[in-house]
Amino acid sequence: MRPEILASTLRDATARAPVGRRPPSDTPPAAPVGELPLLVRRRVLDAIVVTAYALTSFGLYRDLWLGLPTSYLVDSGRDQDLFEWFFAVQARALAHGDLVLYSDLQNHPGGVNLMGNTAMPGLALPLAPVTWLFGPTATWAVVLTLGLAGTATGWYWLFSRHLVRSPWAAAVGGATCAFAPPVISHAHAHPNFTAMFLLPVIVIWLLRLTRAPSPRTAVRDGLVLGLLVGWQVLIGEEPLLILATGLAVYLLVWAVLRPSAMLAGARAALPGLGAGVAVTALLVGYPLWVQFTGPASYHALRHGPAGNDLASLGALPRQSVGGQLLHPGQAVDNPTEQNAFLGWPLLVLLAVVIVWLWRELPARLASITGLLTLALSLGSPVFADARSTGIPGPWWLLHRLPLYESLIEARLTFACVPAMGMLLALACDRVLRRRPRVLLGPLTSRRLWFASLALAVLPVLPVRFAVQPRLPTPAYFTDGQWSHDVRPGRAIVPVPLPGVDDARALHWQVATGFGFPIAEGYFVGPAGPRHEGTYGAEHRPTSQLLAGVAATGVVPPVGPAQRTNAVTDLRYWRADAVVLADHPRRDALRATVEALLGPGQERGGVEVWDVRGLVG
């Protein structure tokens, strides 16, 4: 009898199991001597599966590793610069005994609330020795590579110990959860959506609570759960919110289908949940206080409608075998936000599995949960082929709630991915545990299933991530020439000012050991009278002027008002130097800055304007 994980408490499943057979558990009892070879074989299979995950992950990031420390993921946009800055600035703060949740090295002097950004202190701080010894690019590679492999391993452990008997079936499910198209899309740039290895562990500990034999045991397990949740908050709050949303949908469906089992599990888990909440509050209470009320905090990140287009559900992602073969060189608005793109062959296979396994409660729960979370990811109103259908989606019920108002709804497909992994694991397990039927000649039911699975998965298999050499840092920074122009605590103003489109200045800071702060930057911070979140700093008049020149290449009229604004802005930024490096619009930018500040000096591959005499 297969245990009904997440469908009924493990205690109930054990009670219904035949005598002498127990559901699989993450902590199996000691085996008799005669069963030791079987346990050894299981551990060997575990090692093979985990090694395969690690090799697959390394294979995707191979060129990143081989090109360290100058390799740069092409599809990361400016996010690699951003996350390397996060890793490096927190490692520096730890080494110097400074604040690790806030920094004024960007957006000087207003600073950046690191907890209000995806700074990942839960990994950045433990991996600080890697950053100190090998640099933040190595930390970036470690987090991405081990994050994917760890996520696959976590879901494999959950499925193999709680859902299916075949480790190969569990391996398919684990691979689906870590290498599905939405995850691979983010794996180019967003390590918080790659290092999700704690999420399945949190689910495992929730299961332990539902079968706790006593309140004391529940409290003990709840303490561990609280530590896990607190650590996940410090790694990535958004994936945790998405997991909580998926679990809430799952539990709601479970309550409708099996209310008695749901209530029994809830009663057993309640003491442990209380203990877990207390531990989480103690662990991350202060970081969350900093995030929501500390310096440079903001209330909500507004991004407008951002649901998955219906047409994108069956499309093939650019970073896949099918995408490369059928649509080579395709252009996408943001390759790191291809949150659906599941491919129609995989969707067809999943539809067949849903119909095939509908009578089994775990499959029914996974199916309904996956469909509901997929519907939430469509946003409201629903779009098809980039046109609004006018149909309100279920996201309308959530989008104004606290926390959800900042969530990009298309990312809710991450709650659908584990449901997909569950369904494929259940289907593989059924096929592997039953005697294959001969259908036609050498074609058996087992061969038909795995051929269908291969054909469905092949088009969305990820391809090796493209890498290019990072643009070299100007000698002005690497040779220390900047130190002659900038007083301690005073800022450099890059031209144009750094932001979403150009964050090279963040890497210049890292290359100099954070010897100077910079004006503005690439981060999420408050804007406007309501302090709503926005990407980058609120632009001052001079930064707006230079941004327009960088975008158009047109030198605008510069008069006394613009020069007065420039001096005012430089004083606000507490700037000592203005620096122009290589840029496609360099001539126009130079002419504009010269009109504002006079002639600069060519030094170390950049043009420098010493403004200490202007700002005092």
Side-chain angles (χ1 to χ4, degrees):
M1 174 181 177
R2 183 189 302 114
E4 297 181 343
I5 172 190
L6 303 180
S8 62
T9 65
L10 204 54
R11 183 194 307 162
D12 292 341
T14 305
R16 291 192 300 271
V19 175
R21 173 177 293 185
R22 292 183 179 180
S25 169
D26 54 321
T27 55
V33 175
E35 295 183 15
L36 285 177
L38 182 61
L39 289 177
V40 171
R41 179 173 176 269
R42 183 59 178 265
R43 295 296 178 260
V44 170
L45 290 176
D46 290 342
I48 291 173
V49 171
V50 173
T51 302
Y53 290 152
L55 291 175
T56 301
S57 184
F58 177 79
L60 292 174
Y61 290 110
R62 188 195 71 172
D63 292 342
L64 176 66
W65 281 97
L66 295 180
L68 291 178
T70 61
S71 48
Y72 198 94
L73 287 171
V74 173
D75 280 340
S76 71
R78 302 272 52 92
D79 285 340
Q80 181 170 338
D81 282 330
L82 174 64
F83 279 98
E84 288 184 13
W85 189 89
F86 284 148
F87 296 147
V89 80
Q90 291 174 93
R92 176 187 181 275
L94 189 62
H96 289 78
D98 295 336
L99 296 174
V100 297
L101 302 180
Y102 168 83
S103 175
D104 63 357
L105 289 167
Q106 270 196 80
N107 194 35
H108 191 75
V112 176
N113 189 315
L114 297 179
M115 270 303 295
N117 284 263
T118 52
M120 304 180 70
L123 291 180
L125 297 178
L127 291 174
V130 176
T131 307
W132 296 331
L133 293 173
F134 305 106
T137 308
T139 307
W140 162 260
V142 167
V143 172
L144 289 173
T145 307
L146 295 186
L148 274 184
T151 300
T153 300
W155 287 108
Y156 164 75
W157 195 265
L158 172 61
F159 294 154
S160 64
R161 268 58 180 179
H162 294 279
L163 181 67
V164 296
R165 299 195 180 279
S166 167
W168 304 117
V172 171
T176 302
C177 294
F179 302 106
V183 185
I184 291 300
S185 175
H186 286 264
H188 288 78
H190 304 149
N192 54 320
F193 276 97
T194 302
M196 298 186 292
F197 53 89
L198 283 182
L199 299 186
V201 183
I202 288 172
V203 175
I204 289 173
W205 243 259
L206 283 170
L207 288 173
R208 290 172 66 98
L209 290 182
T210 65
R211 68 174 191 265
S214 67
R216 182 177 179 179
T217 304
V219 169
R220 182 197 62 195
D221 290 341
L223 295 177
V224 177
L225 177 63
L227 292 173
L228 292 170
V229 172
W231 189 12
Q232 179 60 45
V233 168
L234 297 175
I235 293 176
E237 296 168 82
E238 195 171 354
L240 181 62
L241 176 62
I242 292 171
L243 174 71
T245 304
L247 287 176
V249 173
Y250 196 104
L251 293 175
L252 180 62
V253 177
W254 184 17
V256 172
L257 298 180
R258 291 291 188 275
S260 59
M262 170 66 181
L263 290 175
R267 282 194 296 267
L270 194 58
L273 290 176
V277 169
V279 170
T280 300
L282 287 173
L283 184 62
V284 298
Y286 174 72
L288 292 177
W289 180 85
V290 171
Q291 176 178 346
F292 293 107
T293 66
S297 59
Y298 56 91
H299 296 308
L301 178 60
R302 305 292 183 183
H303 50 72
N308 286 316
D309 192 297
L310 277 172
S312 71
L313 299 182
L316 297 176
R318 189 177 77 174
Q319 307 100 333
S320 67
V321 172
Q324 294 289 316
L325 290 176
L326 300 179
H327 308 289
Q330 64 171 310
V332 296
D333 292 336
N334 188 348
T336 65
E337 289 289 348
Q338 289 190 299
N339 291 294
F341 294 85
L342 302 174
W344 65 263
L346 181 57
L347 291 179
V348 170
L349 183 68
L350 287 169
V352 171
V353 171
I354 290 173
V355 175
W356 174 28
L357 300 181
W358 183 256
R359 292 186 178 182
E360 298 187 19
L361 186 58
R364 201 183 322 159
L365 282 166
S367 302
I368 298 173
T369 301
L371 291 172
L372 288 178
T373 52
L374 193 62
L376 282 172
S377 79
L378 298 177
S380 184
V382 177
F383 278 73
D385 285 328
R387 296 180 181 179
S388 175
T389 64
I391 301 172
W395 174 247
W396 180 84
L397 301 172
L398 300 180
H399 77 287
R400 292 189 182 277
L401 296 178
L403 302 182
Y404 287 98
E405 59 191 0
S406 300
L407 179 66
I408 296 176
E409 57 267 31
R411 293 179 176 178
L412 282 166
T413 47
F414 278 82
C416 178
V417 167
M420 293 166 45
M422 238 179 117
L423 288 169
L424 293 180
L426 287 167
C428 289
D429 189 61
R430 172 182 272 205
V431 169
L432 288 172
R433 289 195 305 108
R434 292 189 173 185
R435 185 184 301 274
R437 291 180 298 163
V438 177
L439 301 177
L440 182 62
L443 181 63
T444 65
S445 56
R446 184 175 297 178
R447 290 173 180 170
L448 176 62
W449 162 252
F450 282 105
S452 301
L453 179 63
L455 290 174
V457 169
L458 179 61
V460 294
L461 283 180
V463 295
R464 194 170 67 212
F465 296 167
V467 170
Q468 64 186 7
R470 187 195 298 272
L471 293 174
T473 302
Y476 176 76
F477 298 105
T478 57
D479 293 348
Q481 299 178 41
W482 63 271
S483 61
H484 303 297
D485 301 322
V486 183
R487 293 169 288 183
R490 307 289 287 192
I492 284 179
V493 179
V495 178
L497 279 83
V500 176
D501 297 325
D502 188 350
R504 290 176 298 162
L506 275 62
H507 183 67
W508 302 341
Q509 283 186 297
V510 173
T512 63
F514 292 100
F516 56 87
I518 58 172
E520 300 197 359
Y522 180 23
F523 58 95
V524 178
R530 299 177 60 184
H531 291 271
E532 291 186 329
T534 187
Y535 292 99
E538 283 192 277
H539 292 310
R540 298 186 65 83
T542 304
S543 61
Q544 287 180 326
L545 181 73
L546 295 174
V549 177
T552 65
V554 176
V555 180
V558 175
Q562 286 74 29
R563 295 188 185 96
T564 300
N565 286 338
V567 173
T568 301
D569 293 340
L570 290 170
R571 287 174 177 164
Y572 171 81
W573 291 319
R574 300 177 189 174
D576 274 359
V578 177
V579 176
L580 172 62
D582 284 337
H583 191 279
R585 314 283 192 185
R586 182 167 182 169
D587 291 341
L589 288 167
R590 179 193 298 112
T592 303
V593 179
E594 286 178 344
L596 290 170
L597 304 175
Q601 294 182 344
E602 188 79 26
R603 280 190 284 139
V606 300
E607 195 149 358
V608 183
W609 286 263
D610 186 337
V611 297
R612 285 175 287 186
L614 290 175
V615 300

